[in-house]
Amino acid sequence: MLLLLFSAMPPASAGLYTDACGMIWADASVPFERDNETAYNEELMTSYAPIMANLTEAPDLSNMTWNDAFRETCAYMKERYAFTEWRGVDWDALYATYAPKIAQAEENRDSAAYYRTLREFVYAIPDGHVLVLSPDDFGAKHADIGGGYGLAVARLDSGEVIVTYVANGSDAERAGIRFGDEVISWNGRPIEDAIDATEIIWTPVKPSTAEGIFLHKLRFLARAPVGTPADIGIAGPEDSIPRTINLTATDDGYETLARTSIFLGREVNDGAAGSSAELRAMLTNETVTTRTLPEGIAYIAVYEESYDVYQPFKAAVKDAIADGAPGIVVDLRFNRGGDDNLAAAYGGWFVDRPVFYEYGTTYDPGTGKPAVLWESWTQPRPDRYEGPVALLVSPYTISSGEGLPKVFAESGTGAIVSWYGTNGAFGMESLGPVLPLGVMTAFPTGASLDENGRIQVDSNASMVGGVAPTVRVPLDRDTLARAMAGEDVQLSYAVDWIRAQAESTTAKPSAVPTQAAAGWVVVLGALAVVAVWYGRR
């Protein structure tokens, strides 16, 4: 999602960095309540006023050799990346690892190997905002993961890795593999080692936490080049001998990835999607969708944070209030981010006290250091909804999509319901250098800081981050069987939580403490003379 960068006269605030800020939003809902996008764009531009004169356009390296362009890109990212220390990124080691592969691809004029190596490079950095963007994968994706084995797996809370899906008519089915069978080895390796060695460079939404990475390793374990054999060790029933089954990967249209997308609450073939934008188009053309659940509970799904989302979101909440809804479910499981202030504004409809949202920073080329450009707060709406609210999240809840869960986590509002936490990528994303063959780069040049000036939400060097569920749905044979049969199990748990609040109190939702964390979206900053592309998570 591309947005213009802009800001206006700052209101009074006692914030830590007030004197340095280009803009202060003491109530993030104000620019959306007034419903004047032009005025808001001007405010956003003002937020960059302290560093406007220093901003420069990202370099176009498309006419360089592949190897030279890669070297210059690494140097550019090393200078400007916001989380080098936070995530422990060794840029020199990364360059030394991938530059020879880029040089070899160039020598062979192998576009697929070139693009694959670029993806390996960015996926070596556990940040969902560090990306390469290309209209063409040069056939590399299908060559790598176009084949499936007719089965998919998941790991239970108990630690067992079990079969969760077997394709009808597949060799896996003919070999007698069934739902719930425990997988103990893959190609001679213990199953945990095989999972750990699995590449996930073709996910359309890049994970940033250890939890998210492991989920996708499970999903991509059963993907391989078409024609690749695999020996799969299946534990036998009690008192019987484990057996090894040999299968060969066939072109299944990424079916096993579609069938393991249940963390989104629905089946969607994210394996066929080349980007989060393509995946979003598979889900809906709307920015907000609503419906009424049993017992009058309101359901609101929000897919991004663009200026035009606030009014339909507000209308949906006000309808829930007018209808006397006993609870609201806000579904953010596929929210690909956008404007942080909008995420902060959502929170005002549910919190009962002011919540500090962030100090927004970005790299200042003039000083070579990060500069704090804005301060933002969530303020409770006087006409807010006061019943129980459950948020649904997933590892595809990324960037400013993680903002409302962050507000809930910090304020103790409602519940965050999921199998998994959010993505853990919450920085201020910018477009980086343009590389040969039309490949673009993006990475965060700024961080979101909490009230004490500490990085918030983005995963750290231990890959811990994101916003964790306060109501964690069990991963067991029962919940997985229900999900594979088509039930939205996480939604069922959210509804059950709301019912429990209604039974225990008729006044306020439960306050459940939680672990906070982390944001993505590319923000287009038409910055006067320098035409700089900037993005917010």
Side-chain angles (χ1 to χ4, degrees), residues 150 165 167-168 223 252-260 267 269:
Y165 168 68
N168 290 333
R223 306 301 308 175
D252 62 355
Y254 305 107
E255 180 185 21
T256 65
L257 293 176
R259 294 306 300 267
T260 54
E267 185 176 311
N269 194 343

Side-chain angles (χ1 to χ4, degrees), residues 322-363:
D323 295 341
I328 296 177
V329 175
V330 180
D331 192 345
L332 304 171
R333 284 175 290 184
F334 183 80
N335 184 300
R336 64 194 194 102
D339 186 328
D340 264 18
N341 279 328
L342 184 52
Y346 295 158
W349 286 97
F350 308 118
V351 300
D352 60 4
R353 63 176 177 85
V355 179
F356 180 82
Y357 189 81
E358 72 179 355
Y359 293 115
T361 75
T362 197
Y363 178 80

Side-chain angles (χ1 to χ4, degrees), residues 4 16 21 24 31 36 85 100 102 116-117 184 209 214 218 224 253 265 286 323 359 399 431 458 521:
L4 286 173
L16 184 64
C21 284
I24 299 170
N36 185 335
E85 293 183 7
I102 294 287
R116 180 185 295 111
T117 302
I184 57 174
T209 65
F214 189 82
L218 284 165
E286 305 294 328
D323 295 341
Y359 293 115
S399 199
L431 288 182
D458 270 277
V521 115

